[in-house]
Amino acid sequence: MQVHVAKFQDMIDLLTPWAIRVAATLRIADRIAEGTCWLPELAQAVKAEPAALRRLLVFLETRGIFKQVQADRFQLTPLSEPLLEGSPFGMRTWLDLDAMGGRMDMALGGLLHSIRTGEAAYPQVHGQTMWQDTIDNAEFGRSYADLMATHAQWVTPELLKAYRFPETGTLVDIGGGSGALLSAVLKARTGLKGILLDLPEAAAAAQQRFEREGLAERVTVQAGSFFDVWPEPQGQALYMLSWVLHDWPDADALRILQRCAEALRTCQAGRLLITEHLIGEGAQRKIATAMDLRLLALCAGRERTPSEMEHLVVGAQLQVVERRVTARGIHILGCQFDGKC
Ligand SMILES: C[S@@+](CC[C@H](N)C(=O)[O-])C[C@H]1O[C@@H](n2cnc3c(N)ncnc32)[C@H](O)[C@@H]1O
């Protein structure tokens, strides 16, 4: 029984995750790594009240993050490494309470509202939708695009291995974020051109990326909403919805798919590629169900099972013609217009 209670207490603890986010936001690990490890100097460097900062650090020491080596002198531990800027997968950025990562976490405080209503909690907590936040506040828009780039960094090698992208034509990345995935595909397929459509801040970040990486001549970036504008590629096109549909409830996801279907109907040689995690059984289930609840709270989105996704696809007059699942459970669905109208 005691073991169960201890496990339960660990599960309900909000303080540790919150204290770690505060340390990440203040960039304490970076300052210590630079040699600012004496409390009064550290407090000045991170703009904190010294006695309060000491309380945070000694608490985190009990969790194995930071170590007090002498009175008021702190050093890093292996567990503080994810808090360093540039650590793998941008972990610090995901935890930053001043940026979109932390803002999304704060929205989870409204989960009760989501469960009672089926609506997103983010607008209840922050006053407007997550997407409007990224449009109205350039800083939030940029930080969301950065987070998506860390996600793309993680999934791109696996997608490139699992799917044979075409050598020529145009890859149209709908909701393509800051272009990390499109850029990687274009580097691997030098005869391919690209179009990226996303909201203004992500589009601006993508444009900068393509210029920086010498791809600007091969890519057109379009800023706007996929509910209002739509790219018009010349010739053979592969449309891509990469981790886009899960951000939307069924009615909106269907509208996005219908726009793709309309584009494929008019472009004979076209195909749509949908890539995201779908809910299955086994080890992936714990991650997928967590993401599902998170998406509900953030944007009334959802993770779908393979049959739920197929149902949506078919409802938009599309047909799944190829299907792959990668080692890490990424589903890749190739779809065509079903040609019935
Ligand atoms: C989960 S991210 C996926 C980004 C990228 N495709 C990837 O796989 O890393 C969803 C993307 O959809 C974009 N988005 C959201 N609403 C949009 C809209 N109405 N029109 C265009 N893009 C939108 C977001 O800005 C974001 O870049």
Side-chain angles (χ1 to χ4, degrees):
M1 182 64 182
Q2 253 180 354
V3 176
H4 291 312
V5 172
K7 188 177 172 195
F8 187 74
Q9 277 172 335
D10 255 6
M11 284 168 71
I12 60 170
D13 170 42
L14 282 178
L15 191 57
T16 308
W18 219 245
I20 293 171
R21 280 164 177 74
V22 171
T25 308
L26 295 176
R27 294 171 158 80
I28 291 172
D30 284 317
R31 299 296 84 83
I32 295 178
E34 288 161 8
T36 311
C37 41
W38 185 47
L39 183 83
E41 284 174 3
L42 187 58
Q44 200 174 21
V46 303
K47 299 191 176 61
E49 196 281 319
L53 180 62
R54 179 188 294 114
R55 291 160 76 175
L56 176 77
L57 292 173
V58 296
F59 169 75
L60 286 173
E61 183 180 26
T62 67
R63 300 301 192 268
I65 302 174
F66 306 122
K67 185 167 171 48
Q68 190 166 197
V69 278
Q70 289 168 24
D72 281 348
R73 286 196 183 271
F74 293 87
Q75 72 179 30
L76 301 182
T77 67
L79 262 186
S80 30
E81 278 166 23
L83 297 180
L84 291 167
E85 194 67 44
S87 64
F89 311 116
M91 187 62 89
R92 193 210 67 78
T93 334
W94 282 95
L95 300 172
D96 192 329
L97 293 167
D98 286 339
M100 271 313 273
R103 221 169 148 73
M104 290 193 282
D105 287 340
M106 281 187 248
L108 299 182
L111 186 60
L112 178 61
H113 170 77
S114 290
I115 302 303
R116 281 188 169 143
T117 62
E119 294 169 2
Y122 193 103
Q124 217 217 12
V125 174
H126 294 301
Q128 60 182 359
T129 68
M130 184 171 88
W131 307 121
Q132 199 57 45
D133 244 4
T134 69
I135 293 170
D136 288 356
N137 184 315
E139 203 49 54
F140 293 156
R142 257 193 306 275
S143 89
Y144 185 75
D146 287 349
L147 292 179
M148 289 309 108
T150 66
H151 172 256
Q153 205 182 10
W154 182 67
V155 298
T156 301
E158 199 158 330
L159 286 182
L160 280 171
K161 215 160 97 185
Y163 188 78
R164 199 172 162 70
F165 284 89
E167 301 287 345
T168 56
T170 307
L171 181 58
V172 188
D173 198 355
I174 304 290
S178 66
L181 176 54
L182 183 56
S183 157
V185 178
L186 292 184
K187 283 177 193 160
R189 296 284 185 273
T190 51
L192 195 62
K193 289 190 176 144
I195 299 180
L196 182 141
L197 169 68
D198 207 298
L199 297 173
E201 281 306 326
Q207 184 66 46
Q208 280 168 14
R209 173 191 301 280
F210 297 134
E211 280 163 19
R212 203 172 54 238
E213 298 182 4
L215 293 167
E217 300 218 327
R218 290 168 59 201
V219 191
T220 306
V221 175
Q222 199 170 345
S225 166
F226 39 54
F227 294 121
D228 304 327
V229 296
W230 199 258
E232 288 180 8
Q234 303 285 311
Q236 194 159 357
L238 175 65
Y239 288 82
M240 185 160 65
L241 287 172
S242 157
W243 280 271
V244 169
L245 293 174
H246 77 168
D247 290 338
W248 300 92
D250 283 354
D252 292 318
L254 187 63
R255 276 167 71 206
I256 299 167
L257 283 169
Q258 283 166 334
R259 300 214 77 178
C260 292
E262 180 57 20
L264 295 188
R265 188 177 68 79
T266 50
C267 151
Q268 295 302 322
R271 187 169 277 206
L272 165 69
L273 207 60
I274 300 171
T275 63
E276 56 183 62
H277 285 100
L278 299 179
I279 299 186
E281 296 302 325
Q284 301 291 343
R285 191 169 173 79
K286 197 171 170 188
I287 303 170
T289 53
M291 182 53 97
D292 182 51
L293 215 46
R294 173 172 274 268
L295 288 166
L296 168 63
L298 291 182
C299 47
R302 56 182 303 187
E303 294 292 50
R304 298 182 169 87
T305 63
S307 62
E308 285 167 342
M309 180 61 89
E310 179 137 6
H311 184 73
L312 265 187
V313 165
V314 169
Q317 290 200 299
L318 292 162
Q319 193 187 3
V320 178
V321 290
E322 57 182 328
R323 203 187 289 274
R324 312 251 155 82
V325 187
T326 70
R328 286 216 203 112
I330 302 172
H331 287 245
I332 306 173
L333 304 180
C335 309
Q336 280 179 348
F337 182 65
D338 79 0
K340 283 188 195 127
C341 74

